[in-house]
Amino acid sequence: MPLKGLQAFEAVGRCGSVTAAAIELNVSPGAISQQIRKVEKFLGVTLLERSGRTAELTTWGRLYHREISKGFAQFAVARQVLERARNESVLVLSALSSVVNKWIGRRIFDWQALHPGAHIKIIGRDKEPQMGFDDVDFRVSYGSDVLQHEHYTELYRDWVVPACSPSLLNRRTVAAGDLFRFPLLHVEWEKHFTPYPSWADFALNVGVEFKELSPGLSFTLSSSAIDAAVNKRGIVLAQLSMIADELAAGTLIIPLDVRIPLPESYFLAWDRSALQKPFGREFRDWIVRIARQQAAQSAPLGGERL
């Protein structure tokens, strides 16, 4: 049996076309067709009905693809089993990219100091992993995305505040309405998330008219908007959990401490087997603990500001 031909045929059936299969396997469409002809010759049946530049599975082809796809799916499972076995002593944490860049990625060094024998791998990924299939032990999720997982707990509800480089204000004190005279940096998350607090929300909260002098820049990543603010590009509504280091270093300041909560909370999800790994349970408890500390630090004094 020509195994390369089987791989090509499985890819065509799964991807829906010879061209798509060729792109996935990084070969030419002609090479895909050539490999499939070898399988057809071996089996003595026609698997693809060719018409010009298009090709569709025949009745025999659909029947055959349904069965061989089971084997290719098992190959994927076998790879996952092997990877998990290789990483038995490694704890893999997946988190949203900005959370990695500005929160957990900065605090992981505290964990290492407490547990120098633990090996942690951090993956910045916005797409939710499949626990038990993807090579992921823990996941920091936002909002309702966490419902895809079986085991999870709430971490904290973050708050946003105006933040900018101190040189942008030139040491001036400003009122709420004065902020709109400066370049505004916007955060616009992907549509499947509940909307990030906007400058219009901020204006409504402080009781002033929102009137942006010029169109501002928008970022899908909170971390990118924060970096732009550090580089004196404007004022951003920044998550407090993500600017702690910048505030401590003085590269960002809060010109007006008005805090608006995010619509939803961050959560920690985990694969049940992760707690059986060395340091697995301790790692989960540590993340929950520092998240509770973050919640206490971010919440405004004297109750919520909405």
Side-chain angles (χ1 to χ4, degrees), residues 50-109:
R50 300 166 179 86
S51 177
R53 294 186 178 182
T54 63
E56 295 183 359
L57 297 186
T58 64
T59 301
W60 297 115
R62 289 193 295 271
L63 176 65
Y64 192 58
H65 186 271
R66 184 179 64 197
E67 296 304 317
I68 69 164
S69 62
K70 299 175 184 177
F72 278 90
Q74 189 60 43
F75 288 152
V77 171
R79 181 180 63 82
Q80 293 293 334
V81 170
L82 180 60
E83 287 296 320
R84 190 166 289 276
R86 290 175 59 189
N87 294 326
E88 184 175 354
S89 61
V90 179
L91 294 174
V92 182
L93 170 67
S94 168
L96 296 162
S97 300
S98 291
V99 173
V100 169
N101 294 336
K102 298 297 185 183
W103 190 64
I104 193 64
R106 293 174 167 181
R107 287 156 180 76
I108 200 65
F109 298 100

Side-chain angles (χ1 to χ4, degrees), residues 75-276:
F75 288 152
V77 171
R79 181 180 63 82
Q80 293 293 334
V81 170
L82 180 60
E83 287 296 320
R84 190 166 289 276
R86 290 175 59 189
N87 294 326
E88 184 175 354
S89 61
V90 179
L91 294 174
V92 182
L93 170 67
S94 168
L96 296 162
S97 300
S98 291
V99 173
V100 169
N101 294 336
K102 298 297 185 183
W103 190 64
I104 193 64
R106 293 174 167 181
R107 287 156 180 76
I108 200 65
F109 298 100
D110 296 334
W111 162 266
Q112 282 190 316
L114 294 171
H115 303 86
H119 184 186
I120 306 295
K121 179 180 179 181
I122 301 179
I123 301 173
R125 175 183 176 185
D126 292 340
K127 182 180 179 181
E128 290 296 308
Q130 290 182 273
M131 294 294 187
F133 183 80
D134 291 336
D135 187 23
V136 170
D137 298 304
F138 298 92
R139 168 69 176 178
V140 177
S141 302
Y142 177 76
S144 59
D145 279 358
V146 76
L147 299 177
Q148 302 175 34
H149 309 297
E150 183 177 359
H151 307 286
Y152 59 86
T153 187
E154 185 177 6
L155 291 178
Y156 62 94
R157 175 77 64 95
D158 211 355
W159 300 71
V160 302
V161 294
C164 65
S165 168
S167 62
L168 190 70
L169 300 183
N170 197 23
R171 298 183 180 179
R172 288 176 293 172
T173 58
V174 294
D178 297 331
L179 296 181
F180 302 116
R181 300 176 183 175
F182 296 90
L184 300 181
L185 303 171
H186 303 269
V187 177
E188 295 182 6
W189 282 344
E190 299 293 344
K191 291 184 178 180
H192 74 280
F193 290 122
T194 51
Y196 191 88
S198 67
W199 280 106
D201 297 328
F202 176 83
L204 182 64
N205 188 35
V206 296
V208 300
E209 181 184 2
F210 173 61
K211 188 174 182 180
E212 194 170 3
L213 296 181
S214 61
L217 288 174
S218 297
F219 301 83
T220 58
L221 289 179
S222 304
S223 56
S224 297
I226 291 170
D227 290 340
V230 171
N231 290 320
K232 312 176 186 65
R233 299 299 183 181
I235 305 178
V236 64
L237 288 175
Q239 294 175 238
L240 279 167
S241 68
M242 296 187 181
I243 60 172
D245 288 359
E246 286 80 3
L247 293 176
T251 56
L252 284 180
I253 60 171
I254 300 174
L256 192 67
D257 194 352
V258 175
R259 307 186 184 192
I260 302 176
L262 289 185
E264 298 184 271
S265 297
Y266 286 100
F267 293 82
L268 178 68
W270 60 89
D271 184 37
R272 185 173 58 182
S273 64
L275 304 185
Q276 300 171 0

Side-chain angles (χ1 to χ4, degrees), residues 1-55:
M1 171 63 68
L3 296 181
K4 286 187 177 179
L6 279 183
Q7 183 186 28
F9 176 65
E10 187 277 335
V12 169
R14 176 168 45 80
C15 297
S17 71
V18 171
T19 301
I23 293 173
E24 179 178 287
L25 299 179
N26 196 28
V27 297
S28 68
I32 293 287
S33 297
Q34 184 180 22
Q35 289 295 335
I36 293 177
R37 285 192 180 95
K38 292 180 180 180
V39 179
E40 291 176 324
K41 182 178 179 181
F42 181 87
L43 296 174
V45 297
T46 300
L47 300 175
L48 283 183
E49 187 70 39
R50 300 166 179 86
S51 177
R53 294 186 178 182
T54 63

